């Protein structure tokens, strides 16, 4: 009972703390946005390359290895685009 009262008193006494960006972080955030754009561009290029390779392998009757490349590029793209959501869930929870 006493521990519960102390816990409630401490929780009610502390304000809701919100994260705040440090001064000068605008340039770092700009760099992160550029890197995110570059990663997405690389993912699109990888899927285009794998699709072209898939057509070439199908045309020549070679063994099909490119479906693995397409799947890997798709999974990498999903992870890359959800990175900010994953970090928010890990850091802010």
């Amino acid at each position: 009972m006493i521990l519960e009262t102390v816990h409630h008193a401490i929780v009610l006494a502390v304000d809701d703390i919100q994260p705040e960006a440090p001064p000068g972080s605008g340039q770092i955030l700009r760099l992160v946005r550029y890197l995110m754009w570059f990663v997405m561009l690389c993912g699109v290029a990888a899927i285009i390359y794998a699709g072209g390779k898939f057509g070439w392998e199908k045309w020549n009757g070679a063994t099909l290895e490119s479906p693995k490349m397409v799947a890997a590029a798709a999974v990498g793209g999903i992870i890359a685009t959800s990175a900010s959501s994953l970090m928010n869930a890990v850091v802010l929870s």
Side-chain angles (χ1 to χ4, degrees):
M1 177 73 178
I2 295 173
L3 289 176
E4 187 175 324
T5 305
V6 170
H7 178 264
H8 288 305
I10 292 172
V11 169
L12 293 175
V14 176
D15 291 334
D16 188 21
I17 300 172
Q18 297 294 325
E20 182 179 335
S25 65
Q27 298 299 327
I28 294 172
L29 293 175
R30 177 181 284 178
L31 177 65
V32 168
R33 286 192 295 268
Y34 286 163
L35 290 174
M36 188 180 342
W37 180 83
F38 181 72
V39 166
M40 287 185 200
L41 181 67
C42 288
V44 169
I47 290 176
I48 291 171
Y49 174 75
K53 187 173 179 184
F54 179 72
W56 183 259
E57 290 172 353
K58 191 76 168 164
W59 181 267
N60 289 330
T63 58
L64 296 177
E65 297 177 5
S66 56
K68 294 179 210 172
M69 292 173 62
V70 172
V75 169
I78 290 170
I79 292 172
T81 55
S82 63
S84 64
S85 300
L86 291 172
M87 288 307 295
N88 283 337
V90 170
V91 173
L92 297 179
S93 63

